Amino acid sequence: MTSFVPLPGSHRTPLPNSRSAGPVNGADLATVTVRVRSKGDPADLAKLAYDLAGQPVAQRKYLTLAQLEDQHGAAGADLDAIEHYAHDHNLRVGRRSAIERVVILKGRLSDLLAAFPSDVRLYHHSTGGYRGRSGTILVPEQLSKVITGVFGFDTRRRRRTRHRQILSAQAGPGGDNGLAATDFATRYAFPPGDGSGQTIAIIELGGGYRTSDLQVFFHEIGVAMPNVASVSVDNAVNDPSTDPQSADGEVMLDIEVAGAVAPKASYVVYFAPNNGDQGFQDAISMAVHDARQPSAVSISWGSPEDYTDDQGLAAYHEIFAAAGALGVTVCAATGDHGTADADAPHWDGKPHVNHPSSDDLVLACGGTQVTGGKDVVWNDGTTLEAGGWATGGGVSGYFAVPDYQKNANVPVSLFTQKPGRGLPDIAMSATNYFTRTDSAEGAGGGTSAVTPLMAALVALLNQDKGGRVGLLQPFLYANAGAGLFVDVTSGTNAVKGTVKGYKAGPGWDACTGLGTPVGKAILAKLP
C-alpha cells in the first residue's frame, strides 16, 4: 500500500467569495504537470543569472540548452520513476522533458487523485465556475524527494483585464483610434533598428490572431509585417473568434505593439489553456527552453501573487532563473487595477501585487499616461465598479528585496507590512495604442501594452550589441542616475474607493519604478 506525505508549499484555498458546487466527476479526463528536482541546485542557476548580468554583454557566456539540460535538467531515473508510478495508476504520459523537468500525465480525474490525493471540488464564482483545490497535495513517500510540484487540479483562471475600446471598422491610426506603437518608441527614444536576428516569445492564454488582420494593420501603419508563428501548449491553439472584445484583442495587441517597433524580429506566440498555473507555467517553460531560442519573452497575463501557492511561485522562479542563465529577458505586466490588482467581481478587499511581475528575475512593466505632454501615473480616477483602471505596483509578500533594489528605498508592503521586492521596474504609456482585432479598429492599452513594447526595446538593444542583455534589472538600477530614465513624479495607483495605493515621487516608486526609459541612453551605457 502506498504511503503518502504532504507536498511542501502546496497548501491552497479557494478563490475569495467562492461557493462549493459539489464534487468533481471522477470520470472526467484531465491532466497534471509533475515537476521534478534538478540535477543541480536551483539557487546556483539564479546566482548564475545575476553573475552574468554583471558582465559586459560581449563577454557573457550564457548556458546553451544542452548545458542547461546537462547541469540543471532532470535525471532520467527521476523521470522514469514518475512514468512507472503513473503506469501503476492507469495514467498516460502526454509529454516528458528533461530540460524542463516535467512529466505531463493524462487520465481520469479519479485516477489522478488516487495518484496524488487532494481535496478537489467544483466551485461557483461570480466570474464563472472552476475546479478548485483546498489544503495540500499528497505525493507518494518514495517520490517525495523527486517531486517538487504538481499542477493542474486547480483551474482558476489567470487574468488579463484590458483597457481598450473598438471604435471603427477600418480607419487606420490617428484621432480616436490611437497611435501606432512606433510613436511611443519615438517618445521613449528607442535606438534605431528593426529587431533583425531576434526572436520574441509571446505568452497567451486564449484567443487568437488572423493573418489577414495583421496584414491590414501593418499596411496601415506603414511597417512591413513580421513573421509570426504559433505554438500549441497543452492542446490549446490559435483560435480567433469574431468578437473584437474577446481574448483576441489581447493577442493582437501584443503582436501589433512589438511587431510595429521590431518588424524584422521573429514572433512565436505560445497558446496555452487558461486553466490555472498548469497551462501558464507550461507555456512560459516551453518558450524559455524552446530550440528557437527567443531572446525576450512578453507576458501580459497574471494574477495576485498570493493567489498562487508556494510550490507554484518556486516553480516559476526556477523557470525565470533558467531564462536568465540562457540570456532571455522576461518582461511581465504589473496589472491594470492599481493596488487592488483585480476587477470588481474578483477583488477581495485587500491590496495585492501581480505575479509573475513580482518575481525579482522578471522585468516588471508598469504604466503611465501622457497628460499635457508629460508622463504621469496611469490612473483614470474611477472606482473598480466603473473600471478602476490604474497601473499595478507595490511590494512582494514572497520575494525578498533583491540586491539591485537595496538603494531604491522600497517601502514595506501594504499587504504584509514587510519589506520585499518592489515593482514595477520601468513604465511607459499604457493608453492610446492603435490596434486592429477581428476587422475592427480602435485605441487600446493597459500595462499589457507596455510589456511587448519593452520586449521590442530589448530586441533592439540585443540587435545593436550583437549579444543578449538577459537579466537587465541590475544594470538599470545601477545606472538609473545616468540619464537612462525620465523620472515620473506625479500621480498614485490607488483606485478610488479601495485600499491605499502608492504615490509617485522622486526616484524609484511603486507606481512607475525608475521612470520611463530613454532607449538610446540605455544602449549607450550598456557595457
Side-chain angles (χ1 to χ4, degrees), residues 279-484:
F280 194 37
Q281 192 180 107
D282 287 351
I284 298 170
S285 180
M286 189 175 290
V288 167
H289 298 93
D290 198 332
R292 297 174 181 85
Q293 295 188 289
S295 55
V297 178
S298 175
I299 306 173
S300 295
W301 298 78
S303 63
E305 178 184 73
D306 50 307
Y307 285 12
T308 299
D309 57 18
D310 287 358
Q311 64 154 350
L313 294 172
Y316 285 106
H317 189 68
E318 291 176 7
I319 295 169
F320 297 139
L326 292 167
V328 181
T329 306
V330 181
C331 306
T334 59
D336 293 350
H337 293 293
T339 50
D341 196 37
D343 55 12
H346 289 96
W347 192 48
D348 62 356
K350 301 174 183 177
H352 301 280
V353 294
N354 200 265
H355 179 267
S357 62
S358 63
D359 194 296
D360 60 287
L361 294 170
V362 172
L363 182 58
C365 302
T368 65
Q369 62 190 42
V370 181
T371 302
K374 182 179 180 181
D375 281 73
V376 300
V377 176
W378 174 44
N379 192 328
D380 73 354
T382 62
T383 63
L384 277 184
E385 289 73 17
W389 302 105
T391 183
V395 178
S396 171
Y398 180 85
F399 297 98
V401 179
D403 284 345
Y404 59 76
Q405 286 189 325
K406 294 294 186 182
N407 298 318
N409 296 317
V410 178
V412 297
S413 165
L414 292 175
F415 184 66
T416 67
Q417 300 302 312
K418 297 179 180 179
R421 186 273 206 265
L423 60 152
D425 297 306
I426 62 94
M428 289 184 279
S429 176
T431 66
N432 206 36
Y433 288 79
F434 170 60
T435 63
R436 179 182 174 89
T437 304
D438 299 325
S439 299
E441 296 179 355
T447 59
S448 53
V450 182
T451 306
L453 186 62
M454 186 65 208
L457 173 56
V458 169
L460 299 184
L461 297 174
N462 287 342
Q463 179 186 3
D464 190 280
K465 298 297 291 187
R468 294 181 167 215
V469 297
L471 182 63
L472 197 53
Q473 295 95 296
F475 163 79
L476 295 178
Y477 280 84
N479 295 278
L484 274 57

Side-chain angles (χ1 to χ4, degrees), residues 46-355:
K47 182 179 183 301
L48 175 61
Y50 275 104
D51 289 344
L52 289 166
Q55 301 172 13
V57 174
Q59 297 178 18
R60 297 180 189 179
K61 301 296 183 182
Y62 292 113
L63 293 183
T64 65
L65 290 172
Q67 289 171 332
L68 178 65
E69 180 174 343
D70 181 62
Q71 299 171 25
H72 294 277
D78 285 348
L79 298 177
D80 290 343
I82 300 298
E83 286 200 20
H84 295 154
Y85 180 73
H87 176 76
D88 292 342
H89 285 77
N90 304 312
L91 302 175
R92 294 178 292 110
V93 174
R95 187 166 71 89
R96 162 177 165 157
S97 172
I99 191 171
E100 294 183 56
R101 297 165 38 210
V102 300
V103 180
I104 296 179
L105 303 178
K106 299 181 177 182
R108 293 181 303 178
L109 188 55
S110 58
D111 290 330
L112 288 165
L113 287 170
F116 306 103
S118 312
D119 182 6
V120 179
R121 300 180 62 83
L122 299 177
Y123 288 91
H124 289 302
H125 192 267
S126 60
T127 56
Y130 69 98
R131 190 174 70 214
R133 180 170 65 78
S134 299
T136 59
I137 297 173
L138 300 180
V139 295
E141 188 172 18
Q142 72 268 27
L143 295 176
S144 61
K145 303 298 184 183
V146 174
I147 297 173
T148 63
V150 177
F151 305 95
F153 286 132
D154 197 303
T155 63
R156 68 187 76 186
R157 291 174 170 244
R158 287 273 174 162
R159 297 193 300 279
R160 174 179 167 183
T161 50
R162 61 190 183 276
H163 184 63
R164 57 185 288 104
Q165 183 180 14
I166 299 298
L167 297 173
S168 62
Q170 187 171 342
D176 290 337
N177 267 10
L179 303 174
T182 48
D183 288 299
F184 293 105
T186 299
R187 177 177 184 83
Y188 302 117
F190 280 21
D194 55 16
S196 293
Q198 303 299 309
T199 297
I200 296 177
I202 297 174
I203 307 300
E204 300 294 353
L205 302 179
Y209 65 86
R210 289 185 175 85
T211 300
S212 57
D213 270 322
L214 293 175
Q215 289 171 334
V216 172
F217 172 84
F218 285 102
H219 174 74
E220 289 182 329
I221 67 171
V223 172
M225 180 177 159
N227 292 320
V228 182
S230 64
V231 172
S232 173
V233 181
D234 297 348
N235 298 315
V237 296
N238 175 23
D239 186 25
S241 71
T242 58
D243 179 8
Q245 297 295 336
S246 69
D248 295 355
E250 317 299 356
V251 178
M252 296 295 285
L253 179 68
D254 283 339
I255 299 172
E256 290 167 348
V257 169
V261 177
K264 293 297 184 181
S266 295
Y267 292 86
V268 185
V269 187
Y270 298 79
F271 287 99
N274 194 350
N275 62 351
D277 284 314
Q278 183 186 27
F280 194 37
Q281 192 180 107
D282 287 351
I284 298 170
S285 180
M286 189 175 290
V288 167
H289 298 93
D290 198 332
R292 297 174 181 85
Q293 295 188 289
S295 55
V297 178
S298 175
I299 306 173
S300 295
W301 298 78
S303 63
E305 178 184 73
D306 50 307
Y307 285 12
T308 299
D309 57 18
D310 287 358
Q311 64 154 350
L313 294 172
Y316 285 106
H317 189 68
E318 291 176 7
I319 295 169
F320 297 139
L326 292 167
V328 181
T329 306
V330 181
C331 306
T334 59
D336 293 350
H337 293 293
T339 50
D341 196 37
D343 55 12
H346 289 96
W347 192 48
D348 62 356
K350 301 174 183 177
H352 301 280
V353 294
N354 200 265
H355 179 267

